């Protein structure tokens, strides 16, 4: 997996043999364009979207060329559970 911050980086990573290209911190429009370019040139590459995506903004990042979406907010805001094991 290779993280890319531009469409050009994503295409270079796919051309170099990356199985997964993670498009990080893209705008929804930029993500869709970059994902389409990667899939057009390398249809077998998995395209992952990440970076600032929340449940509220998720629909804007979905598209036919995006295979996986990672949302750090699912773990960043998880509350801690305080427990103890007494034997």
């Amino acid at each position: 997996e290779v993280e890319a911050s531009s469409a050009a980086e994503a295409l270079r990573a796919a051309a170099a043999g990356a199985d997964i290209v993670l498009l990080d911190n893209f705008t929804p429009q930029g993500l869709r364009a970059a994902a389409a370019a990667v899939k057009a040139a390398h249809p077998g590459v998995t395209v992952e979207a990440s970076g600032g995506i929340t449940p509220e903004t998720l629909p804007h990042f979905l598209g036919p060329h995006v295979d996986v979406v990672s949302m750090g907010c699912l773990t960043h805001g998880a509350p801690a559970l305080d427990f103890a094991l007494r034997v």
Side-chain angles (χ1 to χ4, degrees):
E1 181 169 7
V2 176
E3 182 177 320
S5 58
S6 71
E9 284 182 2
L11 287 167
R12 282 196 306 270
D19 295 323
I20 303 169
V21 175
L22 183 136
L23 303 176
D24 193 32
N25 293 316
F26 279 69
T27 63
Q29 299 83 1
L31 174 76
R32 285 193 296 273
V38 169
K39 287 292 192 174
H42 308 278
V45 171
T46 299
V47 174
E48 180 178 355
S50 181
I53 302 171
T54 66
E56 294 78 26
T57 62
L58 177 62
H60 302 289
F61 290 91
L62 300 177
H65 306 293
V66 177
D67 301 303
V68 178
V69 177
S70 295
M71 294 191 301
C73 66
L74 297 175
T75 56
H76 296 164
L81 175 62
D82 187 20
F83 67 95
L85 178 62
R86 295 175 192 209
V87 180

